[in-house]
Amino acid sequence: MNPISLRKKLTITFLMIALLSLAFVGLFANVSLGKQFEDYATARLNQTINKTVNQVTDLYVRSGEQWSISSLDETGMALLIDGLILRVEDTNGQVVWDAQVHNNGMCLRILQNMAQNMQSYQANFQGGYEEQSFPAVVNGAEVGTVVVGYYGPFYFNEADLQFLSSLNRILLIAGAVSLGACVLLGAYLARRLSKPITDVIAATGKIAEGNYSDRLTHAENTAELVALSHSVNSLAASLETQETLRKRLTADVAHELRTPLTTLQSTVEAMIDGVWTADETHLNSMREEVLRLNKLVDELGTLSRFESESLRLNTESFDLRELCQQTIQNFESIARQKGVSLTCAGSQAFVEADRDKIGQVLINLMHNALKFTPAGGTVSITTTTEHDRAVLTVRDTGCGIAPEHLPFIFERFYRADPSRARETGGSGIGLAIALAIAKAHNGDIRVSSTVGEGSEFVLSLQLHPVS
């Protein structure tokens, strides 16, 4: 079974909602208006009957307080036109005038016509001939009885039925127009809602093909669609950055391997050609290049182990400040040779961690700080606690790191200034190893830097309270 597009589903959904809404509104309007019109017909009938009783009583008074057959005949025939059948009785119950006696055929035709009208209005309408009796009272004395017959409990005349027919026709036309408008509006909304999603599908298709440069525009003002577009754009940007770093990593690895290998190759070829002799100087040079290669491989292996989920940590409780004081002693001679001042300060900060590996982090950060701090500069280490975190800060007054390089400073082989790589030494993996160790301890390393003023690396670990 082929899947149905979102646009088609939304259009069908809007159409169904419109149909249900129109059906509900139509049913409600029909029932409500029908009930109100029935109440109106009943009230009108009662009002007409009361008017008839008053009219017949007035005839009695105008005829010298006696029943005039000619007047009753004229009034009764006029009432037949309105669908009312009049009968008048005296105080003794004797019939003075009866429309059914006077013109029974016309009365029957009127009742039949009313029944047909009401059946056309409502097929199962339950109605029939009904009568109401009212005393005719003159000056407080009852002079007779006025009986009014009609088709009840209510009835609609021709004008009423035409009005109801016109009203139903108007409602039907309005419903058809509304349904058409809902279809058009639903199709428009379905297209507008589905288009950003189809754009996302197209964008993710390009991402899958390796094209990370295209970005989605936020033309919509729907929060969820804007968030979806933003997420896809962020994914594309992240993948583009990772692809750039991957290519750079490949180039950097090739460069790191090529340099010592080229040196080894040229030295060996010179010895083979007899240009150089295999003396201690040249052999030591070759040994240094081999050691450099060994160091690079070892660091890559170390990084791989630290990034592995199966890394084993030999944790113990120790004070970061004490570790810093011990570590800084190993760098005093290097700092003295460079003319850099080393300081260590702060409060106790106990952690539950692998002491050797955290020491490796500190060593890498110290190497990095001393490497880029000129003579006369300062490298300081500070330990403190913030809430439930132990914080170790390594701050230097070196050359600093440009803002565009900060997001990538912990990437393997990444160097903010590649031209100084050979000059400063190192493989560009130290910071990557430091971050991997921190992550393995559920910690983190943050960096902030200002060009020309120095950098600050902050190691954050879970504080381990000591009783």
Side-chain angles (χ1 to χ4, degrees):
M1 182 178 178
N2 294 328
I4 303 175
S5 68
L6 176 63
R7 182 175 176 180
K8 186 177 294 184
K9 283 186 176 181
L10 287 173
T11 303
I12 294 173
T13 301
F14 285 134
L15 181 58
M16 291 180 65
I17 292 173
L19 285 172
L20 291 173
S21 299
L22 288 174
F24 175 77
V25 171
L27 179 62
F28 176 77
N30 191 273
V31 172
S32 177
L33 290 176
K35 181 66 171 61
Q36 290 183 18
F37 206 76
E38 289 173 4
D39 293 341
Y40 158 75
T42 302
R44 183 186 61 185
L45 176 61
N46 291 331
Q47 184 179 7
T48 304
I49 291 174
N50 291 331
K51 183 179 178 182
T52 299
V53 173
N54 293 331
Q55 183 180 358
V56 172
T57 303
D58 288 341
L59 285 176
Y60 178 84
V61 175
R62 287 200 304 268
S63 299
E65 295 190 356
Q66 62 180 354
W67 297 112
S68 171
I69 301 300
S70 60
S71 297
L72 291 173
D73 183 64
E74 182 181 350
T75 302
M77 295 306 294
L79 290 173
L80 279 175
I81 299 174
D82 293 332
L84 298 178
I85 299 173
L86 177 64
R87 185 171 80 248
V88 178
E89 299 174 355
D90 60 17
T91 55
N92 296 321
Q94 296 298 317
V95 176
V96 177
W97 191 89
D98 190 348
Q100 296 189 58
V101 173
H102 185 77
N103 196 336
N104 185 57
M106 187 176 181
C107 291
L108 291 175
R109 286 195 301 272
I110 289 174
L111 291 174
Q112 288 174 356
N113 185 53
M114 287 182 173
Q116 289 175 359
N117 286 345
M118 296 310 295
Q119 290 295 322
S120 68
Y121 165 70
Q122 188 174 342
N124 59 346
F125 183 79
Q126 299 296 324
Y129 181 74
E130 296 183 7
E131 287 184 345
Q132 290 190 48
S133 298
F134 300 89
V137 179
V138 177
N139 297 324
E142 185 175 336
V143 297
T145 302
V146 179
V147 181
V148 181
Y150 55 89
Y151 188 87
F154 60 88
Y155 66 89
F156 297 150
N157 57 32
E158 294 292 339
D160 294 335
L161 292 175
Q162 289 180 4
F163 172 78
L164 289 174
S165 177
S166 300
L167 181 62
N168 288 331
R169 190 160 48 250
I170 291 172
L171 288 175
L172 185 62
I173 294 172
V177 172
S178 299
L179 181 60
C182 288
V183 170
L184 294 177
L185 181 62
Y188 170 73
L189 290 176
R191 180 180 180 277
R192 184 161 184 175
L193 287 174
S194 61
K195 187 179 183 303
I197 298 177
T198 56
D199 291 343
V200 168
I201 294 172
T204 53
K206 291 182 179 180
I207 291 174
E209 294 172 357
N211 182 1
Y212 309 124
S213 59
D214 288 350
R215 297 291 183 272
L216 292 169
T217 56
H218 304 312
E220 288 289 330
N221 59 357
T222 305
E224 290 80 4
L225 294 177
V226 171
L228 178 61
S229 299
H230 179 72
S231 297
V232 173
N233 288 340
S234 298
L235 174 63
S238 177
L239 290 174
E240 186 176 25
T241 301
Q242 292 300 318
E243 179 67 11
T244 302
L245 291 174
R246 184 187 66 80
K247 292 178 180 179
R248 179 166 180 167
L249 172 63
T250 303
D252 288 342
V253 170
H255 173 75
E256 292 295 334
L257 293 175
R258 186 184 299 113
T259 301
L261 286 175
T262 300
T263 303
L264 285 173
Q265 180 182 354
S266 60
T267 303
V268 171
E269 288 176 350
M271 290 181 178
I272 293 174
D273 294 340
V275 177
W276 287 348
T277 59
D279 55 19
E280 184 177 355
T281 301
H282 293 117
L283 291 175
N284 280 334
S285 176
M286 294 173 63
R287 180 174 178 274
E288 287 179 2
E289 298 302 329
V290 171
L291 290 175
R292 180 177 296 173
L293 283 172
N294 255 339
K295 181 181 179 183
L296 176 61
V297 172
D298 287 344
E299 287 182 340
L300 285 173
T302 300
L303 179 59
S304 177
R305 287 195 306 274
F306 287 149
E307 290 179 339
S308 171
E309 294 182 357
S310 59
L311 175 67
R312 293 184 60 183
L313 300 175
N314 299 317
T315 61
E316 59 179 293
S317 178
F318 63 92
D319 181 14
L320 275 181
R321 185 181 64 175
E322 180 185 345
L323 177 64
C324 294
Q325 291 171 343
Q326 294 175 357
T327 304
I328 203 172
Q329 295 176 1
N330 300 327
F331 289 90
E332 286 181 349
S333 60
I334 300 174
R336 194 179 305 112
Q337 291 174 8
K338 289 197 65 176
V340 175
S341 173
L342 288 181
T343 63
C344 178
S347 59
Q348 288 184 331
F350 282 86
V351 295
E352 182 80 17
D354 190 315
R355 185 186 182 95
D356 292 338
K357 291 181 174 58
I358 298 300
Q360 182 65 48
V361 172
L362 184 55
I363 290 172
N364 288 0
L365 294 179
M366 287 293 297
H367 267 301
N368 213 56
L370 286 170
K371 187 190 304 181
F372 296 102
T373 301
T378 302
V379 174
S380 61
I381 305 175
T382 307
T383 58
T384 185
T385 58
E386 295 179 2
H387 304 295
D388 61 342
R389 309 295 291 180
V391 179
L392 184 152
T393 303
V394 177
R395 186 180 295 106
D396 65 65
T397 57
C399 57
I401 305 168
E404 63 269 21
H405 295 298
L406 285 177
F408 314 109
I409 203 67
F410 292 103
E411 297 291 338
R412 62 193 73 185
F413 294 111
Y414 191 90
R415 292 188 178 88
D417 186 1
S419 63
R420 298 183 59 193
R422 307 297 297 178
E423 177 185 331
T424 58
S427 59
I429 302 179
L431 289 179
I433 291 175
L435 181 61
I437 294 175
K439 295 288 187 184
H441 287 83
N442 295 320
D444 195 17
I445 299 179
R446 304 187 306 274
V447 60
S448 59
S449 185
T450 302
V451 176
E453 295 183 10
S455 304
E456 179 181 275
F457 287 81
V458 180
L459 169 65
S460 174
L461 297 172
Q462 182 67 40
L463 185 65
H464 181 66
V466 179
S467 56

